[in-house]
Amino acid sequence: MSLPHAILTALLEKPSSGLELTRRFDKSIGYFWSATHQQIYRELGKLEAHGLIRTLPAEAPARGQKKSYEVLPAGRAELARWAAAAQDPKPLRDTLLLRLRAAAVVGTAGLESDLRRHLELHRRQLAEYQEIEKRDFPPDRDAPEDRLRHLVLRAGIDLETFWTQWLTHALAECAALRPEGG
């Protein structure tokens, strides 16, 4: 149910075409809610059919021109309703954690190299988030909408910090479990 709300959010920030939305998802919302080009276009059609968005009139009719969309009052109301609604946290489902549990019964062969790979991926993501924070959220940028966007980014920074610390610990545990000379 959240993809339509992610699209409504993005369109309220800036009316866009489907292609522009896809690019914006890749640079912002996609860090925490990903969607393919096809999923976005499919949802745009559904949102328009439900009267939550509309296609903006073209400045000059042209064949093959991209359609841009904007949110209608009903779409804004739906997004406000959804944003205010209570929602329980989702249970964590992580394949790496399941694989560690399985390694407890079948052995850790191959696991350490993948833990190191995961650690490197999380370090890179953390560095990217920190660069975005430095670039987009200087101390004087204090408008309410900026503070909320920064809060979302801080969640990403904190999660990546957690994963890098946890993976470092997991690698140390695996090293301690290795037999002497192994």
Side-chain angles (χ1 to χ4, degrees):
M1 185 64 172
S2 295
L3 179 56
H5 298 101
I7 291 171
L8 288 170
T9 299
L11 289 175
L12 278 169
E13 291 173 342
K14 180 183 176 196
S16 305
S17 70
L19 181 58
E20 290 165 340
L21 277 174
T22 300
R23 289 180 180 147
R24 288 175 53 213
F25 261 69
D26 288 345
K27 294 179 184 172
S28 62
I29 292 174
Y31 285 118
F32 56 91
W33 197 270
S34 61
T36 66
H37 187 74
Q38 292 83 8
Q39 289 171 316
I40 289 171
Y41 273 95
R42 191 169 35 250
E43 284 302 325
L44 285 169
K46 290 178 188 177
L47 290 167
E48 191 169 28
H50 287 103
L52 302 178
I53 65 172
R54 74 176 181 118
T55 304
L56 288 170
E59 291 177 15
R63 197 174 139 181
Q65 184 178 11
K66 62 184 177 185
K67 294 194 279 186
S68 287
Y69 300 89
E70 71 175 353
V71 177
L72 295 170
R76 180 180 282 278
E78 168 53 24
L79 187 60
R81 182 209 59 77
W82 178 80
Q87 185 174 358
D88 292 338
K90 299 285 184 225
L92 178 63
R93 290 178 57 162
D94 189 287
T95 306
L96 181 61
L97 297 177
L98 183 57
R99 290 175 53 223
L100 276 171
R101 184 69 184 250
V105 292
V106 297
T108 61
L111 191 58
E112 280 186 71
S113 64
D114 200 41
L115 289 172
R116 280 191 289 281
R117 187 179 69 81
H118 276 254
L119 178 57
E120 182 54 32
L121 291 170
H122 285 288
R123 282 180 174 155
R124 274 192 254 150
Q125 190 64 64
L126 176 59
E128 186 175 342
Y129 286 163
Q130 289 169 330
E131 186 58 38
I132 292 168
E133 182 179 44
K134 194 179 343 175
R135 180 190 70 219
D136 294 349
F137 296 100
D140 61 335
R141 193 165 176 184
D142 204 30
E145 61 273 10
D146 290 328
R147 291 177 70 176
L148 291 173
R149 288 180 185 125
H150 191 195
L151 190 59
V152 173
L153 179 61
R154 282 299 323 167
I157 290 170
D158 292 348
L159 283 170
E160 294 304 330
T161 299
F162 161 78
W163 279 113
T164 57
Q165 291 171 349
W166 182 85
L167 285 159
T168 300
H169 178 75
L171 282 163
E173 284 293 320
C174 286
L177 295 172
R178 255 189 265 129
E180 287 291 321

